[in-house]
Amino acid sequence: AFGDSGAVMKETGLIGFPGLGISAIQSNPILLMQRKRVVVLGATGSIGESAIKVARDIPERMEIVGLAAKSNARKLAAQANLVRPEAVCLVEESRIAELRAALEYEPIVFAGETGLEEIACLTNADMVLVAVVIASPFLAGGMLTGRRRRAG
């Protein structure tokens, strides 16, 4: 379906368009877009679940690099086992052992509010989907400031 653009997409993570050959894509920069690397805060909620579904439906355009949840360790582990992000975070630190036991691979594991800030500031992420209520304006401000500081 992608003609000779499929190989470029697989090797570079770039988005292609069905029916266009590699020369048409390379000669038109508008058609050449990089796959977005996304961290999802609130992964176990409805918005987070929808984001994961979208990422699985369009892997050539979106990759989940981090998942975070407040307390549902088993659901977070199941999601992580499915999409294999490089990092996960569980805010409720008392359930970290449960999370680790349910993971089928070894991602970076962050914990607590500090971990939430760390995963939100992953340097290789293009964007952070914030699908959580952040009660502390200091935490929210710190995440945004930290993200800008690390990305720049």
Side-chain angles (χ1 to χ4, degrees), residues 20-139:
L20 293 179
I22 192 166
S23 58
I25 292 172
Q26 288 176 332
S27 65
N28 190 342
I30 294 172
L31 297 178
L32 214 52
M33 297 183 290
Q34 288 205 0
R35 177 170 55 169
K36 297 297 181 192
R37 297 171 54 86
V38 181
V39 173
V40 180
L41 307 184
T44 59
S46 62
I47 295 170
E49 286 181 324
S50 293
I52 292 167
K53 182 185 181 316
V54 168
R56 293 190 70 223
D57 288 346
I58 55 168
E60 71 281 0
R61 293 173 50 191
M62 183 176 172
E63 176 186 5
I64 303 292
V65 296
L67 293 174
K70 181 178 180 184
S71 61
N72 196 335
R74 288 178 190 240
K75 190 171 184 179
L76 180 61
Q79 291 173 325
N81 290 334
L82 190 64
V83 297
R84 301 283 174 138
E86 67 185 57
V88 296
C89 175
L90 193 63
V91 175
E92 192 170 309
E93 296 180 54
S94 64
R95 303 195 69 189
I96 288 294
E98 182 182 351
L99 173 65
R100 286 185 192 276
L103 288 167
E104 297 170 355
Y105 72 114
E106 295 184 19
I108 299 166
V109 177
F110 296 107
E113 286 189 0
T114 302
L116 191 62
E117 185 174 339
E118 289 295 316
I119 200 166
C121 295
L122 288 177
T123 58
N124 66 338
D126 297 311
M127 66 180 70
V128 178
L129 171 64
V130 182
V132 296
V133 176
I134 301 176
S136 167
F138 298 107
L139 178 61

